[in-house]
Structure formats: structure tokens, C-alpha cells
Amino acid sequence: MTKQDKILIVGAGLCGSLLALRLAQRGYKIEVYESRPDLRKVDISAGRSINLALSDRGLKSLRLAGVEEQAKALCIPMYGRLIHDIEGNTFASNYSGRTGEYINSVSRQDLNALLLDEAEKHENVNIHFNTKCTRIDIENTVAHFKSYKTDEEFSVNPDIIFGADGAGSILRKSYELERKFLFSYSQDYLTHGYKELEIPADKLGNHQISKDHLHIWPRGEYMLIALPNLDGSFTVTLFLSYEEGKFNFENLTTEEEVTHFFETQFPDALALIPNIKDEFFNNPTGALGTVKCSPWMYKNKTLIIGDAAHAIVPFYGQGMNASFEDVAVFDGVLERFEDDWEQIFKTYQQERKKDTDAIADLAVDNYYEMRDHVANPLFKQKRKLEMDLEEKFPESYYSKYSMVTFNEDIGYNEAMKKGRAQDKALLNLIADAEVSTSENMSAQELEIVLNKVNHETKEILTEDKIAGLK
Amino acid sequence: MTKQDKILIVGAGLCGSLLALRLAQRGYKIEVYESRPDLRKVDISAGRSINLALSDRGLKSLRLAGVEEQAKALCIPMYGRLIHDIEGNTFASNYSGRTGEYINSVSRQDLNALLLDEAEKHENVNIHFNTKCTRIDIENTVAHFKSYKTDEEFSVNPDIIFGADGAGSILRKSYELERKFLFSYSQDYLTHGYKELEIPADKLGNHQISKDHLHIWPRGEYMLIALPNLDGSFTVTLFLSYEEGKFNFENLTTEEEVTHFFETQFPDALALIPNIKDEFFNNPTGALGTVKCSPWMYKNKTLIIGDAAHAIVPFYGQGMNASFEDVAVFDGVLERFEDDWEQIFKTYQQERKKDTDAIADLAVDNYYEMRDHVANPLFKQKRKLEMDLEEKFPESYYSKYSMVTFNEDIGYNEAMKKGRAQDKALLNLIADAEVSTSENMSAQELEIVLNKVNHETKEILTEDKIAGLK
């Protein structure tokens, strides 16, 4: 079942390596070029987020490639958020009222290594590390490279090129700069950047705070989050404005200022981060940006996929999941159209773009939700009610978060539309005291709430539709 | 009252020349560089839209510079849309139910010439034509130029540089390419392009169709519009997909195909466009794009303004008005902060960006409204009701169109938010038969409608606010 077309993939990150694995399983001859060293041999985590959230959409795609169980072995389940207030009190907010619905903290490096190992088991896959793609001539389907080892420059002329080369994609830049067609493109930065810190394991190698949660210290203008690692440590991320507000990356320039900031804003976290001063000043400050663009393909020859086509901010924990889902959606289209690449690329974008646009917007929404709303009383009442509804009616109630995170059978766009309407319905019903939010409601009382929420959600969707004259 | 700071403006188009005039009136020393020849001496209209809609926001800014009356002498009032269906029937849809509210068709060239004349009357203004800005070094505030007349290359190092150089702004490109800061940027193309055609004057030099209207031939997938010129002609614009649908720019390649397209879709217009074949194949096909970006300034030295900062699609007739309003808003900020340029630029963007973002979105909305919704029965009922409300309650009812177009005292953003909520309220009230849409309603009946619309609009805004947890 060897295929004729020679495929070149730029990038052996999470998306590129899963794509290589899946296309190899379909019998294509694959050459993968990666600018970084082989992460199975060198630690290259610096400056990129160390652990990531893996959830159902990502798992579905890993399952398609036969590596779900191996991936799961690398995972730490997180069942909800544990929110830390400024006095050090915590309260938990589950991700779902159903049992068995949780997200997973996973090491980027471990998961990527697994995918590279699996891809390389196929003799029709070659992965070249330390080889930088410098330019792609999209008209002639020629990719130019430079080897970091030998300094040699060379070019490759395959049948198909995939750009799985992340947010700074060279293939996407070729689309932009070669001006062969009208290329719609946006890069949108948040006013905040991020910096990674560490809560180490205790002396016995155990986690110092609950490893069953994603920890959040929401403070409105800034926040801290922490995800557990298998070695007992937590990777902590500070999200802070570059230049606005009382505290920002620009004005926190001395150890005293940094200590004062953490002492007053995150005292309980500070106690757990021994190397705060070193880490704050030595770790890079990362930017938080969203990239959207269209079209993703040029003729029947090149396609951008994963972050290269749709980089998103990390606040929904969906970046990797969306990129993995790209591979699954692409695989489905490939199945339907065989080797008609023009049709495949076109159909893939038609089916997929509305969903990646939606998760990009949802991720920005969650930035405000995490740093601010999670501490808002109305929001807390809503989440509590949603957990009760999911627990009592596991087959019929799904929060927006559940639709996005645990319902891989509906697209992000549908989840966003339905979920936003449902959130609006719930928040307004609670604000107008039209539904009860008391503790320990009976099944009957909850059913009344469910019916009201469903009715209002439907109304909202209908009214929006009429307003859009659709 | 001569000011110390030397100001360089790139671009002597509508925005650049009004800005030069206004800053000259404030006593600054201004040098303006324009790549095109002096449009008062050469006809350079080719490829750019020949006439434009001038309305209250633009007029307010011209008034500020003391040239409103002279501009008005160049205007042809258009009181509403005249919609042509495929059978050649027409129906009128006024822009406002109030008397004295109308938009104006004006020649780009005539208006620009007026502004250049007025600017040049100030001895502290020099305008250099045929001089292309090739690059701007934003770190050192140096603009590089090439003279098209002498081929000479030179550079200028003023105190302040304004980029009023349109959608393809060199200053904006410098922001993007120099990477001194995180530059959020988007360019978004519609799937449709446009082509200009002409309905000439009749033998007596008169307009062949009503000059009191903006004409629209809406056909869903494509449309034709026409605006009157002072010489009795109309400039007609065809909006058509590049490559989608039965008819598109890609597949209309022969005279027979073009004739067939117009005969079947726009028969009454075709009868008035004698040179259709020449014009269709010789006039350029223009792209329709939206540009948004941030920040607009770099430190206290450079600022992009007008289309350079926010290019929008033409469907709300607000492109020029928004650029002129930029000058008025900027002038107000300048008044408050004198020569503190960093504060001026920062405050200007803070106050202005939400409004230019809003008009960009409204203009895209109107693309769908004009090509499609105007022929929709529900939409027609709504417009009819709005005209009645505006006529009967001129002091208390303003449609979204009126708020955007005739209410220069409220910003685009407020007009958009209130207007969208009001549209939604009206459309849903009509769809649910909760308000009457019968002919000749009494004042009392209309007042009931008004109260219902106001109540529903308020509800919608409140519910949105609660859903946004603001």
C-alpha cells in the first residue's frame, strides 16, 4: 500500500510528529525536517511550556494513530481547578459533574518523544533534526534548508509540503510574503506575557499541593497557575501585563520588587517557589498571541496545519488538542478523497477553519474567566449549578467547558455557539433569581432549572438567528 | 504661534491633506510627501474609487478646519437607497425618517484638491509630490524617500512622523517588520472583489436615473451599486466573488459571458452602461480588505492615522468619514496635552481605537446587508418601521444607520452596540408579531412600538452585560 506522493513535513513537534505517524500508517513516504535537536537526546524545554493539558480531542487523535494508551501512561489527571484566594484559602471547582471527565497534565517532551519513536518505527519515515527550513518557494514546491550541524544549505522538491512548524511558521510566512493570492492574516497579542516558575517536589519526591487539580491564583490584573509533573514538581506560570497596572514585567526590576509582589499577592505560592528570584530574572518572558489566517493551502501542493495555521493562547488548555484534532479531521478528509490533494486541502479547510477560529476565541474568553471571573460570586453560583446539573443529568446537560473539552464529537464552533448561549441563559436566570441556587436541591428542583436553562438557551439562539437574518 | 516641532506627514490623500491643514492652523511646520503626482494637475483616478459618501462625521471634521461649506458645494445629496430588483422594479428606502438627514456623493479628486489648496495657503506647509516614501527607521525617526522625477534618494529626520499613507502604509509596515514591540495586526479580505463601470450622462448632460439616491442592485451573491457625479454620470461598482458561485471574476472571461451575466442579472443597468465590455476587461479588479492593528504609535515619535491605521471595506460609506474624524479626535487630544506627544499619541489611540474597530465591523456587516438583506421581507419591514419611528419621534428614535451616519456626537462603538441591540429587538419583535407593521399607524400605535423597542433594547444590553460579567 505504498503511495506514490512524496511528502515533506516541516516541523517534528507535537503536530508534525503525529501527522508523520498517521500519514506513514497510510503508506506515504515521509521526510520530516526539524530545526531543533532531537528532544529525546537533549533537553530543549527552555522557553516553551513544559507541561500541557491533554483532553478528549487530543486523545481521540492519538487513538486514531494507535498511541492513546501509551500517552495515557504519561498523564496526571486533573479533576478541576483549585482556586487560591489572597488569604490562602482554597476552593475547588470541578471540570465536570460527571465522573470520568477530567483533563490531563502531560510533559510536552515525553509526549513528543513517544510520537517520534512511533513515527520512526515506520521505514517510510525519515526525521532530520537540526535542519532549519529557511524558505519555501510555494510556486515550485521547493523547500530550502540549512543544516545546523554542517552549515550545508540544500533544497528539497517533494510532491506535497506540510507546514507543521508552529506559530512562527516559515510556510505561512511564504504565503504572506510571496503575495501569490489574497492572504487574510491576523496576529493578536494580549497585553500580558508569561513566565514559568517551579514548585519542586518535597524531599520524598511527592507533590507539595494537590496533584489532582490545576491550581489558579486569580487576581484580576494578573494570575498564577500551576500544573503537576510526574516527578512531583509543578510548573507554575505567571501571567502579568508587560507595562500596565501597579505590577508589571516592566517595573518589576529588582529582587525586592519581585518579592514584594509575590508576598502581597501570592503569599502561599511564594512559600513553595524557592528559586523565585533566579527564575523570575533568568527565565524568558513569553508573549501570548493568537494567529488566524486563510487560506491554509496553496493550490494542491502545500498546507499549514496545527499552530502554524492557528496559534492560540493557552487558557482553554486546547492548543495541543486542537492541533492533534487537525490531524484527525485531515485524516478523515484524506480517507474520502484519496490522492486528490486540491480537493482534500480545500475540504479540510472548509470543515476545519470555523472550529479553529472558535477555539481561538474561546481561549481568549478563558483568559478573562481564569484571571477574574472564577472569583466572581455570580460565576461561582453558575459553576456550582452546572456541576449539579451534570451530575444529576449526565446524559442531557453539558456545560460549555464540557462541550469544548470532553465532547470530541461536536466541533469547537458548535460548542462555542451553544455554550455561550447556555452561559448567558444561566447567568441571567441566576441574576434575575429565576432559578434557585440553593444547596442540595432535589432532583425535581434541578429538573425545573434544567428545563428553564434549555428553554432560555433555545430562545437566545433563535433571537440571534433572527437578528442575523439567517 | 509657530511651534517648534517639525512634522512630517507621509501621504497627501484625503486624511493627510486634512491633517496638514489642521496642524498648519495650529502653527506647526509641516512637510508632506506624496508618491503620486499632484492630482490637481493630472488625472490619477484609475483604480481607486472615484466618488465617495461624505456624511456628518466627515463634515464635522471639515468644519473644524473651516472648509465645510466649500466641500458641500462639491456634494450631491443622496436621501436613500433605490433598490432595483431583477425585473427592473425599484423601491426606495430612505436613510432617515428625519428631514435634513442625507449622505453626499462627492468626487475624491475634487475634495482632495480643495484640501490641498487650503493646506498650501499656509506658508508653514510644503507639499512634495512624486516622492515615494520607501522606508521609515522608527527608532531614529528617519524617513527615506525617492523622487520619481529625479530618481534622487534622500532622507528626512523630523521630530514627528505621521503615516497618513493609506491601506498599504509604509509606516505600518515598518512597525511590522522592525519588530521593536509586539505589533498586533490583521488584514482580512472578503471573498469578493470590485470593478468600477460607468453610466454616462444623457445627451443633455443630465443624470439618467435618480441622482437623489444611492442605487443598489442586490442579488445575494453579487451586487451592483451606483453613485451620482456632478457631470451627470454615475460611477457604478460591481461587487463579485473572485472564484465562487456560478458567476465570478475568474470565469467571466469572454464578452459573451459578461454580457450574459449582466443581461440575466442586471438587465436595466446593462442598458445604461454602453462601454460595459471595455470597462469590464480594462478596469482593474480591486480587493476588499479590512486592516486593524495596534499600537498605532511608536514612542513619542510616530503615529499612523486614517486608512493606514484602519482600512475598512466601503459598505457603510464611512471610510473617508472615519479618517476625517480621526483628525478631529486627534485635534481634541492635541488641544488637551499640547506638545506632550507620547501622552497625545497614547490618549488618542485609547479614545479612538474602539471606534475604528467598530466601524470596520459595521462595514463588513453592511456588505451582507446591502447584497442580501435589503431584499429580505423582514428587513424591509424593519426599515419601514424605523422610518416611521424617526419621522414621528425625531428627537428620540435613531436607527443604527442614523447613529452611525448622522450622529457625529456619539462614537462608532456606542452606535454599534446600541444599534445592534436595537436591530435585534426590532427584528425579533416583528418576527414574533409583537409589534404592528401595518401601513399608516397612528401616533399612539407608533408610540407603543417605540416603547416596546426601547424596552427590548435595554433588556438585550442588560443581558449581554450580565453574560460578559461586566
Side-chain angles (χ1 to χ4, degrees), chain A residues 15-158:
Chain A
C15 183
S17 54
L18 179 62
L19 180 67
L21 170 58
R22 186 61 195 143
L23 290 178
Q25 290 169 340
R26 285 189 168 271
Y28 290 99
K29 173 108 186 63
I30 318 281
E31 301 289 324
V32 185
Y33 291 86
E34 167 61 50
S35 63
R36 295 191 186 83
D38 188 341
L39 53 68
R40 294 166 296 184
K41 298 173 186 162
V42 207
D43 181 8
I44 55 157
S45 59
R48 310 178 70 204
S49 57
I50 292 166
N51 52 21
L52 298 162
L54 176 61
S55 53
D56 293 38
R57 291 173 200 272
L59 289 167
K60 168 189 69 181
S61 309
L62 294 169
R63 194 180 316 139
L64 179 73
V67 292
E68 183 186 19
E69 291 311 315
Q70 288 158 278
K72 278 187 169 169
L74 307 170
C75 288
I76 302 179
M78 299 182 288
Y79 297 92
R81 297 166 173 164
L82 194 71
I83 292 146
H84 300 247
D85 74 14
I86 204 159
E87 277 87 33
N89 307 310
T90 60
F91 72 93
S93 172
N94 283 356
Y95 285 125
S96 171
R98 276 172 289 273
T99 48
E101 286 189 344
Y102 50 84
I103 64 175
N104 300 282
S105 179
V106 69
S107 147
R108 175 195 288 272
Q109 189 157 356
D110 292 351
L111 186 54
N112 206 152
L114 163 65
L115 294 172
L116 291 170
D117 284 345
E118 290 301 312
E120 280 188 335
K121 284 182 185 166
H122 294 262
E123 60 178 19
N124 46 335
V125 174
N126 276 313
I127 307 179
H128 313 265
F129 293 96
N130 295 299
T131 311
K132 168 77 183 162
C133 181
T134 53
R135 190 167 70 80
I136 293 175
D137 170 355
I138 59 174
E139 200 59 50
N140 300 301
T141 328
V142 174
H144 296 267
F145 294 96
K146 179 174 181 169
S147 164
Y148 283 144
K149 275 188 176 161
T150 63
D151 268 357
E152 184 204 359
E153 296 187 9
F154 62 97
S155 63
V156 184
N157 179 200

Side-chain angles (χ1 to χ4, degrees), chain B residues 1-3 5-9 15-32 64-65 119 122 124-125 160-162 303 305 327 330-331 334-335 338-339 341 344-345:
Chain B
M1 63 173 267
T2 310
K3 304 269 188 173
D5 286 320
K6 281 179 193 144
I7 290 177
L8 187 156
I9 299 175
C15 183
S17 53
L18 180 62
L19 180 66
L21 170 59
R22 186 62 195 141
L23 291 178
Q25 290 168 341
R26 284 190 168 272
Y28 291 99
K29 173 108 186 63
I30 318 281
E31 302 288 324
V32 185
L64 179 72
H122 294 262
N124 47 335
V125 174
I160 305 288
I161 298 176
F162 286 93
L303 180 80
I305 190 165
V327 177
F330 186 79
D331 189 71
L334 196 55
E335 179 71 31
E338 277 287 323
D339 294 324
W341 292 104
I344 289 164
F345 291 166

Side-chain angles (χ1 to χ4, degrees), chain A residues 176 179 182-189 242 287 373 376 378-379 424 427-428 431 463-464 466-469, chain B residues 173 176 182-189 242 287 373 376 378-379 424 427-428 431 463-464 466-469:
Chain A
E176 201 184 343
R179 300 175 151 274
L182 294 177
F183 186 55
S184 292
Y185 170 72
S186 73
Q187 58 186 38
D188 256 299
Y189 293 100
Y242 283 103
H373 301 174
N376 176 304
L378 185 56
F379 181 87
K424 186 174 174 177
L427 288 166
N428 275 284
E463 283 173 14
D464 284 349
I466 288 169
L469 287 171
Chain B
K173 278 185 190 147
E176 201 184 344
L182 295 177
F183 186 55
S184 292
Y185 170 71
S186 73
Q187 58 186 38
D188 256 301
Y189 293 100
Y242 282 103
H373 302 172
N376 177 304
L378 185 56
F379 181 87
K424 187 173 173 177
L427 288 166
N428 276 284
E463 283 174 12
D464 284 350
I466 289 169
L469 288 171

Side-chain angles (χ1 to χ4, degrees), chain B residues 97-125:
Chain B
R98 275 172 290 273
T99 48
E101 286 189 346
Y102 51 83
I103 64 174
N104 300 282
S105 178
V106 69
S107 148
R108 174 195 287 273
Q109 188 157 356
D110 292 351
L111 186 55
N112 206 152
L114 163 65
L115 294 171
L116 291 171
D117 285 345
E118 290 301 313
E120 280 189 336
K121 284 182 184 165
H122 294 262
E123 60 178 18
N124 47 335
V125 174

